[in-house]
């Protein structure tokens, strides 16, 4: 095709505006060369822009006219097997490649995810629907594979983005036409009198190309792609990747042409306009053959369809909010205006059901393409006349929606929105208000105040224009795991595919067949995000059987998460086991997290094998730990597991016996250091003592030595008051300190003015001592009572907030014990309090001194306390009595006394 006339005009324009030919001339003429090269290619190139109604209409029209036998589509080549499942979905959905275990990529990148969203108003869907439902047509995906997406991605570019449905997946978009040069985009928006790129594209590309013929559409899109490519170099790495993608696609197309023997005239290449105006040497069916495609890595990829939404597409590709919904509305209007019949997959969910597939007429005769650019660029824009009925309908509908959402809108506001829309369109040099003009007018006229929690008017306009349409993957297109979940939850009689929250009531006592559903729901709660399966009534504890449960289920809302579980295994139990192993064998795993995995293996899978394997892992992690940060959690979980095995198993598993032995020796070794370490809190030290004291009997029966614990306590010399109190409690438990001595030490603290400010910390230590030594609860009540009884008001009142905060923050789990003990000790009525004497003040009278006289044995006379202790142990009562002539019994039977003397002497 000859573009000499256009070249001459652009050369004159460059000379006029740039004072002579130069860089501007090179850019303008280079753009014409790009268009000429793309149009002259024997293999027809069809440039598109993703989610563009004009591209979709032009694609549907061209497919009916040309009826190609082969369609080459710019989409990851490994996604091809999934496209047939689109007929079982309600658009928009996204084709996804997913990998949870990476090989050949940095481990921190995992999981890897690539998505390619597809909407009904997109040119690629028209091509897919035509190819899959037309006999004899082959669809070939030619873009780089999902593995190459990450091979060509720089390591520093990975980042987490939890926005919308696509999460942190890498988006693959057909027809990337957004300028990558900030100054260029700013210039276009400023002179176009628009706020964002989506509005500029709608005004200056969508509307002019909506009714254009095929040649005009192609040449204009080639020109736009070349313009952005030449004026927006962008990131050098991204430019390099773009060029490699173009080499990749042309290499794949030439390989297919050679293998299939297809005629390039019967083929159609659908790609983004940015890539259509390519200048790489490999361009065209006769391009160079030097590009070598690197092999894929060892990463195993899973493929599936996930639900998408207009908001997710906008967030991932940087489009303006509501632009995809507006594009869907424009697509419907274009079809009605142009009378073009779109292609739709047979049986497409959510679409109009055709009575019978319409037969395609014969292909239209190909006419020689002419230069359409010159006329298009010289022709003034055609101003659409104002559609008053449409604008009036919008105005009335937005006022109705605003009133439903709490705005004080009226008919006067509808008139104001109507007139303001026309005014804004006139200020922006357009005769017909666009949806964006109408949105600005509605915000100006209706949103006079902003109320928290109320939807803003801008969002109401988006909903009115089509809303955030969310797609759905049909049952037949789900992976085996997701289908299995739906089948196993069928007894609940719920529409699990439906979006929103549904209530499930499980009376397991009356219907035991619902217990498998309960087990599955608890596993889904463990695996899926919060809100997908939320228990309202019921809990899952070790060793307990469910009776009644109530659940709020939103599996349809979280369909993507359920689908991605199918990439990790073929059953929900397999995925749970893999997750538990992954958590337990993580390099950062602690003993507490591994014990949690052991509990989950018992609660969810009822698997003694897996619990034993993870228990051995917990033993390994505990032996390697050098800190006591997780001691409280280890204590709680080990107690629960020990109680479960004692009540449900005939003998303790070997791993838990080894865990108790190792933990006893481990915490004995770390105890002296923890008492003096500033980073080890009182909670951790109390938990260590709790483990040692509560597991002591089992540890000693398994061969541990109590001397190790006694030495650890003897070597502990804390300075912090709360830890000192813990040490005193431990000494009382071990018998190294009597209660009388402990009471005396506390009295000394109360009498010493210098120790009063730190007394609350001693009390905090005593409260935490209830964990390892619960028998001290009466002493803690006594200590607190003495503080209230003896402290003067000037010291007591400032100290009360500190005491309350100490009990509230550090001893919340022990406060009920203290209250129960206080209720037992203190009188129940207020009048009795005046005459009440604390039990710790009501000391028993000293026993009379027992003496012996006569000719009794010297050992008993010299050490009567030993005999008194033995008498108390045997329950004997009475006192020593003097015999006038010695003890007759001992005189008559001396052998018994001598044997006792010999026994006590040893």
């Amino acid at each position: 095709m000859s573009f000499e006339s256009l070249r001459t005009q652009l050369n004159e324009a460059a000379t006029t505006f740039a004072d002579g030919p130069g860089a501007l001339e090179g850019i303008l003429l280079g753009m014409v060369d790009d268009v000429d090269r793309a149009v002259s290619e024997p293999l027809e190139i069809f440039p598109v822009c993703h989610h563009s109604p004009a591209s979709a209409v032009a694609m549907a029209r061209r497919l009916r006219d040309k009826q190609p036998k082969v369609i080459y589509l710019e989409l990851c080549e490994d996604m091809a097997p999934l496209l047939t499942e689109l007929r079982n979905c309600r658009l928009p959905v996204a084709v996804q490649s997913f990998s949870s275990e990476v090989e050949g990529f940095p481990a921190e990148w995992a999981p890897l995810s690539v998505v390619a969203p597809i909407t009904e108003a997109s040119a690629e869907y028209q091509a897919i629907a035509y190819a899959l439902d037309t006999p004899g047509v082959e669809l070939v995906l030619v873009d780089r594979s999902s593995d190459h997406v990450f091979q060509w991605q720089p390591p520093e570019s990975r980042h987490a983005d939890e926005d919308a449905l696509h999460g942190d997946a890498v988006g693959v978009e057909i027809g990337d036409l957004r300028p990558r040069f900030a100054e260029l985009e700013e210039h276009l928006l400023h002179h176009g009198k628009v706020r964002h790129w989506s509005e500029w594209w709608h005004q200056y590309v969508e509307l002019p190309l909506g009714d254009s013929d095929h040649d005009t559409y192609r040449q204009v899109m080639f020109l736009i792609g070349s313009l952005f490519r030449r004026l927006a170099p962008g990131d050098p790495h991204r430019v390099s990747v773009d060029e490699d993608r173009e080499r990749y696609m042309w290499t794949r197309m030439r390989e297919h042409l050679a293998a299939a023997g297809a005629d390039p005239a019967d083929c159609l290449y659908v790609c983004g306009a940015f890539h259509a105006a390519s200048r790489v040497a490999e361009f065209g069916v006769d391009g160079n053959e030097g590009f070598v495609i690197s092999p894929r890595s060892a990463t195993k990829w899973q493929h599936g369809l996930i639900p998408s939404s207009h908001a997710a597409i906008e967030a991932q590709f940087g489009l303006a909010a509501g632009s995809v919904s507006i594009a869907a509305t424009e697509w419907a209007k274009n079809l009605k205006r142009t009378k073009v019949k779109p292609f739709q997959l047979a049986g497409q969910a959510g679409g109009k059901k055709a009575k019978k597939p319409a037969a395609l007429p014969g292909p239209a005769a190909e006419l020689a393409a002419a230069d359409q650019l010159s006329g298009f660029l010289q022709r003034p824009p055609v101003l659409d006349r104002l559609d008053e009925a449409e604008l009036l309908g919008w105005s009335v509908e937005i006022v109705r929606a605003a009133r439903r959402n709490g705005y004080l809108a009226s008919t006067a506001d509808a008139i104001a929105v109507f007139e303001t829309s026309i005014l804004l369109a006139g200020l922006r040099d357009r005769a017909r208000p666009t949806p964006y003009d109408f949105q600005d007018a509605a915000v100006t006229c209706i949103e006079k105040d902003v109320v928290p929690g109320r939807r803003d008017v801008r969002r109401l306009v988006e909903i009115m224009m089509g809303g955030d349409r969310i797609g759905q993957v049909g049952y037949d297109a789900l992976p085996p795991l997701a289908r299995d979940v739906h089948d196993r939850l069928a007894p609940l009689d719920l529409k699990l595919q439906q979006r929103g929250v549904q209530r499930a009531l499980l009376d397991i006592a009356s219907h035991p067949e619902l217990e498998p559903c309960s087990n599955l729901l608890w596993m889904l709660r463990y695996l899926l995000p919060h809100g997908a399966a939320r228990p309202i009534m019921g809990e899952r504890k070790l060793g307990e059987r469910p009776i009644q449960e109530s659940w709020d289920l939103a599996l349809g809302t979280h369909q993507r998460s359920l689908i991605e579980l199918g990439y990790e295994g073929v059953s929900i139990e397999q995925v749970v086991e893999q997750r538990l192993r992954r958590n337990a064998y993580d390099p950062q795993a602690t003993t507490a997290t591994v014990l949690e995995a052991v509990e989950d293996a018992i609660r969810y899978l009822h698997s003694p094998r897996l619990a034993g394997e993870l228990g051995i892992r917990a033993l390994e992690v505990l032996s390697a730990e050098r800190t006591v940060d997780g001691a409280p959690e280890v204590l709680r979980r080990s107690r629960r597991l020990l109680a479960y095995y004692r009540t449900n198993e005939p003998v303790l598993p070997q791993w838990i016996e080894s865990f108790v032995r190792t933990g006893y020796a481990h915490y004995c070794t770390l105890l002296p250091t923890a008492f003096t370490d500033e980073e080890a809190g009182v909670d951790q030290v109390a938990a260590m003592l709790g483990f040692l004291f509560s597991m002591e009997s089992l540890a000693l029966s398994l061969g541990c030595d109590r001397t190790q614990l006694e030495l650890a306590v003897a070597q502990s010399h804390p300075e912090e008051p709360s830890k000192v109190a813990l040490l005193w409690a431990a000494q009382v438990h071990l018998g190294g300190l009597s209660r009388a001595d402990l009471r005396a030490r506390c009295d000394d603290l109360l009498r010493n003015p210098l120790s009063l400010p730190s007394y609350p910390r001693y009390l905090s230590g005593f409260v935490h001592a209830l964990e390892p030594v619960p028998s001290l609860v009466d002493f803690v009540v006594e200590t607190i009572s003495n503080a209230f009884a003896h402290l003067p008001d000037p010291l007591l009142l400032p100290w009360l907030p500190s005491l309350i905060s100490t009990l509230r923050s550090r001893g919340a789990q022990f406060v009920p014990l203290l209250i129960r003990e206080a209720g037992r000790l203190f009188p129940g009525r207020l009048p009795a309090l005046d005459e009440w004497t604390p039990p710790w003040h009501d000391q028993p009278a000293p026993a009379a001194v027992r003496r012996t006289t006569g000719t009794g044995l010297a050992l008993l006379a010299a050490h009567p306390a030993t005999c008194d202790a033995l008498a108390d142990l045997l329950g004997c009562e009475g006192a020593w009595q003097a015999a006038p002539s010695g003890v007759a019994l001992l005189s008559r039977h001396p052998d018994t006394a001598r044997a006792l003397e010999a026994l006590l002497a040893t």
Side-chain angles (χ1 to χ4, degrees):
M1 179 186 299
S2 175
F3 288 93
E4 291 302 327
S5 175
L6 181 59
R7 286 189 175 91
T8 302
Q9 296 177 35
L10 293 178
N11 188 20
E12 295 175 354
T15 303
T16 303
F17 291 105
D19 296 331
L24 181 59
E25 180 188 20
I27 294 175
L28 295 178
L29 297 183
M31 290 164 50
V32 179
D33 293 338
D34 292 340
V35 175
D36 194 3
R37 183 184 188 190
V39 171
S40 303
E41 173 60 33
L43 174 58
E44 181 178 335
I45 304 173
F46 194 95
V48 300
C49 177
H50 199 42
H51 310 302
S52 166
S55 294
V57 171
M59 172 63 72
R61 183 189 294 115
R62 184 54 180 167
L63 290 174
R64 292 189 180 276
D65 292 342
K66 183 179 178 65
Q67 299 181 17
K69 301 300 182 182
V70 179
I71 294 181
Y72 298 111
L73 185 61
E74 179 192 330
L75 194 62
C76 294
E77 58 185 1
D78 54 334
M79 295 180 175
L82 293 172
L83 299 182
T84 57
E85 297 295 339
L86 287 176
R87 67 179 76 253
N88 298 317
C89 304
R90 184 172 68 244
L91 301 180
V93 297
V95 186
Q96 182 185 39
S97 299
F98 185 90
S99 178
S100 57
E101 299 179 0
V102 300
E103 295 185 25
F105 301 108
E108 59 271 15
W109 285 13
L112 304 180
S113 180
V114 180
V115 297
I118 298 176
T119 62
E120 187 177 358
S122 59
E124 63 268 24
Y125 174 73
Q126 294 298 307
I128 292 171
Y130 165 79
L132 295 183
D133 283 351
T134 304
V137 176
E138 184 177 5
L139 179 64
V140 183
L141 306 187
V142 294
D143 200 0
R144 55 183 175 165
S145 67
S146 304
D147 197 88
H148 286 91
V149 170
F150 290 95
Q151 285 188 26
W152 296 354
Q153 186 171 355
E156 64 275 6
S157 64
R158 286 287 289 165
H159 65 283
D161 181 11
E162 298 298 331
D163 201 3
L165 292 179
H166 297 164
D168 58 353
V170 175
V172 177
E173 184 176 11
I174 297 178
D176 182 9
L177 269 185
R178 183 162 186 162
R180 302 177 189 174
F181 193 36
E183 288 79 359
L184 173 59
E185 183 172 350
E186 182 181 355
H187 177 84
L188 293 175
L189 298 183
H190 174 72
H191 289 277
K193 298 180 181 180
V194 293
R195 291 170 301 155
H196 43 72
W197 169 252
S198 300
E199 186 175 358
W200 184 93
W201 181 267
H202 176 271
Q203 178 65 27
Y204 294 99
V205 179
E206 285 292 330
L207 297 181
L209 291 182
D211 298 324
S212 61
D213 59 86
H214 172 63
D215 292 335
T216 302
Y217 169 84
R218 287 184 68 206
Q219 295 174 26
V220 171
M221 292 294 284
F222 286 144
L223 184 68
I224 295 174
S226 177
L227 171 67
F228 292 157
R229 194 182 187 103
R230 290 180 177 273
L231 294 185
D235 181 20
H237 175 79
R238 185 173 179 181
V239 173
S240 176
V241 170
D242 286 332
E243 293 178 349
D244 285 342
R245 288 179 63 188
E246 293 155 6
R247 296 185 180 99
Y248 193 108
M249 290 187 285
W250 280 109
T251 300
R252 289 300 193 207
M253 285 187 283
R254 284 194 296 268
E255 291 175 353
H256 181 269
L257 288 172
D263 185 359
D266 295 331
C267 303
L268 188 67
Y269 171 34
V270 182
C271 67
F274 187 88
H275 299 293
S278 174
R279 301 191 304 271
V280 297
E282 291 78 6
F283 177 87
V285 294
D286 298 324
N288 293 341
E289 300 286 348
F291 183 71
V292 178
I293 298 176
S294 61
R296 301 183 186 181
S297 69
T299 299
K300 296 181 179 180
W301 291 90
Q302 305 287 336
H303 300 85
L305 296 170
I306 61 173
S308 184
S309 68
H310 291 171
I313 297 171
E314 292 159 0
Q316 188 164 24
F317 299 109
L319 304 177
S323 59
V324 179
S325 298
I326 293 175
T329 303
E330 290 295 323
W331 158 253
K333 291 171 59 177
N334 287 347
L335 294 180
K336 184 177 180 180
R337 184 181 69 254
T338 60
K339 307 300 182 182
V340 173
K341 294 183 179 180
F343 292 93
Q344 180 179 326
L345 289 171
Q348 179 72 63
K352 296 180 180 179
K353 296 183 179 180
K355 296 182 180 180
K356 58 179 181 179
L360 291 176
E366 293 289 340
L367 302 176
D371 176 13
Q372 303 292 337
L373 275 179
S374 300
F376 182 85
L377 295 177
Q378 293 178 354
R379 184 172 63 247
V382 178
L383 299 179
D384 291 343
R385 64 181 181 85
L386 175 63
D387 190 343
E388 294 187 359
E390 180 187 56
L391 183 58
L392 187 61
W394 287 355
S395 303
V396 172
E397 184 62 31
I398 190 58
V399 168
R400 183 182 294 114
R403 295 187 65 174
R404 284 198 303 265
N405 284 270
Y407 288 93
L408 298 178
S410 63
T411 305
D413 293 307
I415 299 173
V417 172
F418 180 87
E419 297 294 341
T420 306
S421 301
I422 299 175
L423 176 63
L424 287 177
L427 293 175
R428 295 166 179 173
D429 295 334
R430 39 188 180 250
R432 180 176 184 172
T434 66
Y436 299 98
D437 298 326
F438 172 75
Q439 188 178 57
D440 293 341
V443 171
T444 302
C445 300
I446 298 177
E447 197 172 76
K448 305 177 183 66
D449 56 352
V450 178
V451 178
R454 180 190 295 173
R455 281 175 172 167
D456 57 20
V457 175
R458 189 175 304 278
R459 177 61 182 151
L460 293 178
V461 174
E462 294 174 8
I463 296 174
M464 190 189 72
M465 291 293 177
D468 183 18
R469 187 177 303 173
I470 300 176
Q472 186 183 69
V473 179
Y475 175 86
D476 295 331
L478 293 173
L481 181 144
R483 292 200 300 269
D484 180 62
V485 168
H486 284 275
D487 294 341
R488 292 166 62 179
L489 293 180
L492 299 181
D493 195 22
L494 297 176
K495 297 179 180 180
L496 299 177
Q497 288 278 73
Q498 181 178 324
R499 295 184 60 84
V501 179
Q502 302 179 71
R503 178 64 57 87
L505 303 176
L506 286 75
D507 187 0
I508 302 173
S510 302
H511 302 280
E513 66 274 8
L514 295 179
E515 185 172 355
C517 296
S518 171
N519 297 333
L520 179 59
L521 290 175
W522 283 107
M523 287 187 284
L524 291 176
R525 177 179 180 269
Y526 173 75
L527 295 172
L528 295 178
H530 176 74
R534 185 167 61 94
I536 304 302
M537 181 183 68
E539 57 183 351
R540 178 60 60 96
K541 291 184 177 180
L542 292 177
E544 293 187 1
R545 297 289 299 273
I547 300 176
Q548 286 184 336
E549 292 179 353
S550 175
W551 291 80
D552 276 351
L553 301 180
L555 298 184
T557 304
H558 296 83
Q559 192 181 49
R560 177 196 173 181
S561 299
L562 180 62
I563 290 173
E564 289 186 347
L565 291 181
Y567 302 152
E568 302 182 42
V570 296
S571 68
I572 203 75
E573 287 80 5
Q574 181 185 3
V575 177
V576 172
E577 183 172 342
Q578 290 176 354
R579 293 277 184 93
L580 293 177
R581 280 203 175 92
R582 186 187 311 161
N583 295 338
Y585 287 92
D586 188 272
Q588 304 299 324
T590 63
T591 306
T593 57
V594 181
L595 289 178
E596 182 183 7
V598 176
E599 287 189 66
D600 292 339
I602 300 173
R603 288 190 298 166
Y604 300 137
L605 299 178
H606 310 287
S607 174
R609 171 192 56 81
L610 180 60
E613 177 187 339
L614 299 180
I616 296 174
R617 170 62 179 170
L619 179 63
E620 298 172 355
V621 176
L622 177 65
S623 302
E625 282 185 345
R626 292 297 177 263
T627 63
V628 294
D629 295 339
E633 191 68 17
V634 171
L635 173 63
R636 286 191 290 270
R637 296 192 180 279
S638 58
R639 280 179 174 174
R640 282 201 297 265
L641 288 169
L642 190 60
Y644 167 77
Y645 282 119
R646 279 175 170 169
T647 55
N648 293 273
E649 300 292 339
V651 295
L652 292 178
Q654 183 64 35
W655 76 265
I656 202 167
E657 294 182 352
S658 301
F659 185 85
V660 171
R661 284 197 305 267
T662 304
Y664 189 87
H666 179 73
Y667 285 135
C668 282
T669 304
L670 296 180
L671 187 61
T673 304
F675 263 116
T676 57
D677 189 2
E678 295 181 357
E679 296 182 358
V682 64
D683 294 330
Q684 285 76 23
V685 179
M688 294 173 65
L689 292 173
F691 185 94
L692 294 171
F693 293 165
S694 61
M695 306 286 179
E696 184 178 11
S697 59
L698 178 59
L700 295 180
S701 68
L702 296 175
C704 294
D705 189 358
R706 194 171 195 262
T707 307
Q708 188 177 8
L709 174 58
E710 294 175 347
L711 290 175
V713 173
Q715 294 172 357
S716 302
H717 305 286
E719 297 180 358
E720 206 275 328
S722 59
K723 293 184 180 179
V724 172
L726 271 178
L727 180 61
W728 291 348
Q731 291 172 348
V732 170
H733 178 78
L734 295 176
L737 184 66
S738 66
R739 286 215 175 192
D741 294 336
L742 181 60
R743 184 176 292 109
R745 292 183 181 183
C746 292
D747 292 340
D748 292 340
L749 291 174
L750 279 174
R751 286 192 295 267
N752 186 355
L754 298 178
S755 63
L756 287 180
S758 61
Y759 195 72
R761 288 185 286 170
Y762 284 96
L763 284 181
S764 174
F766 284 127
V767 171
H768 281 89
L770 296 177
E771 178 78 69
V773 192
S775 59
L776 282 180
V777 62
D778 58 336
F779 177 77
V780 176
V781 173
E782 172 189 343
T783 307
I784 297 177
S785 300
N786 287 335
F788 276 90
H790 294 93
L791 286 179
D793 289 346
L795 292 177
L796 178 63
L797 295 179
W799 172 60
L800 284 178
S802 177
L803 174 64
I804 295 174
S805 61
T806 299
L807 292 175
R808 191 174 187 179
S809 62
R810 299 187 177 181
Q813 65 269 35
F814 306 121
V815 169
L817 296 177
L818 297 173
I819 295 176
R820 190 182 308 117
E821 182 65 19
R824 187 183 67 84
L825 295 177
F826 287 90
R829 296 182 178 273
L830 185 60
L833 187 62
D834 296 334
E835 300 178 357
W836 175 72
T837 301
W840 51 88
H841 288 168
D842 189 12
Q843 300 296 336
V849 178
R850 298 173 178 176
R851 299 183 182 275
T852 181
T853 59
T855 58
L857 294 177
L859 181 61
L860 292 176
H863 303 283
T866 303
C867 190
D868 290 340
L870 182 59
D872 293 339
L873 179 63
L874 297 176
C876 300
E877 298 180 356
W880 290 95
Q881 296 180 359
S885 60
V887 182
L889 184 61
L890 294 177
S891 300
R892 288 193 297 266
H893 303 284
D895 294 339
T896 303
R898 292 191 185 96
L900 179 60
E901 180 183 10
L903 177 62
L904 297 176
T906 58

